[in-house]
C-alpha cells in the first residue's frame, strides 16, 4: 500500500512487498549458525540479465540468449550439487532489479530454488557465499 500511489507495476509492487517482509524472509532462510548460506550471481551475470530485460506495454520481459541461459543454468546446477553436498538448503541471492527475471528464467528447471534479493535480507545478517554463478565459466 505504501508504494501503490507511486506505481501500478505489479512486478515493482511485488518486490517492494518482499522487501517489507525482510525480517520474515531472513528468518526462513537462516542456518543453525545464524548466517544465510547462499549462491550469488557474478557481476557479469547480473549485468547480462539486466541488459536483457526489455520494457513493453505488458510489463518487463527477459529476452535472454537461450545459449547463455543454458550455460548459466548448467553452472548453477553444478554449484547446487556442491551446496547440497554440504547439507545446506540452496538459495540464490541477487539484486532486486533482476530477482524476478532470474527466478522466471530458472523456475522451469529448478522450481523449488529460492531466489532472494539482497534487499530482502536484514542488513544485520551475514551472507555466507557458497559459490558464484557465471554465464561463461561452467567450472
Amino acid at each position: 500500500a505504501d508504494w501503490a500511489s507511486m506505481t501500478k507495476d505489479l512486478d515493482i509492487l511485488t518486490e517492494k512487498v518482499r522487501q517489507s517482509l525482510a525480517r520474515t524472509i531472513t528468518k526462513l532462510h537462516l542456518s543453525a549458525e545464524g548466517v544465510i548460506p547462499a549462491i550469488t550471481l557474478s557481476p557479469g551475470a547480473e549485468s547480462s540479465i539486466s541488459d536483457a530485460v526489455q520494457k513493453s506495454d505488458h510489463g518487463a520481459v527477459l529476452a535472454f540468449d537461450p545459449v547463455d541461459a543454458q550455460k548459466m543454468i548448467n553452472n548453477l546446477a553444478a554449484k547446487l550439487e556442491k551446496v547440497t553436498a554440504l547439507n545446506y538448503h540452496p538459495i540464490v541471492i541477487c539484486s532486486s532489479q533482476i530477482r524476478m527475471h532470474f527466478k522466471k528464467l530458472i523456475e522451469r528447471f529448478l522450481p523449488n530454488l529460492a531466489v532472494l534479493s539482497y534487499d530482502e535480507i536484514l542488513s544485520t545478517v551475514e551472507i555466507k557465499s557458497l559459490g558464484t554463478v557465471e554465464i561463461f565459466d561452467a567450472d
Side-chain angles (χ1 to χ4, degrees):
D2 295 340
W3 287 88
S5 63
M6 294 175 229
T7 183
K8 300 296 181 216
D9 185 318
L10 292 179
D11 295 336
I12 293 172
L13 290 172
T14 299
E15 292 305 311
K16 295 299 182 184
V17 168
R18 290 178 63 91
Q19 290 169 17
S20 296
L21 293 170
R23 184 181 317 271
T24 302
I25 291 172
T26 299
K27 192 180 231 183
L28 285 172
H29 297 286
L30 274 178
S31 71
E33 298 88 30
V35 300
I36 293 189
I39 297 168
T40 58
L41 297 183
S42 72
E46 290 229 6
S47 179
S48 294
I49 293 169
S50 180
D51 292 345
V53 175
Q54 297 179 353
K55 305 282 184 192
S56 74
D57 293 340
H58 304 289
V61 293
L62 184 63
F64 201 60
D65 177 12
V67 174
D68 289 345
Q70 189 60 55
K71 288 177 185 177
M72 185 183 296
I73 290 168
N74 291 345
N75 185 258
L76 175 58
K79 300 284 191 264
L80 291 174
E81 284 183 32
K82 292 176 184 176
V83 169
T84 53
L86 295 171
N87 286 331
Y88 287 116
H89 182 74
I91 298 169
V92 175
I93 300 179
C94 59
S95 69
S96 59
Q97 292 79 15
I98 67 159
R99 189 206 67 79
M100 178 193 60
H101 301 291
F102 183 72
K103 177 65 177 170
K104 286 180 182 178
L105 175 70
I106 65 159
E107 72 184 343
R108 191 169 61 182
F109 306 101
L110 303 162
N112 298 321
L113 180 61
V115 179
L116 308 179
S117 76
Y118 292 102
D119 295 335
E120 297 169 3
I121 299 169
L122 295 175
S123 60
T124 56
V125 174
E126 178 186 349
I127 297 170
K128 179 180 179 180
S129 179
L130 300 175
T132 303
V133 173
E134 304 280 349
I135 294 177
F136 302 109
D137 177 16
D139 292 336

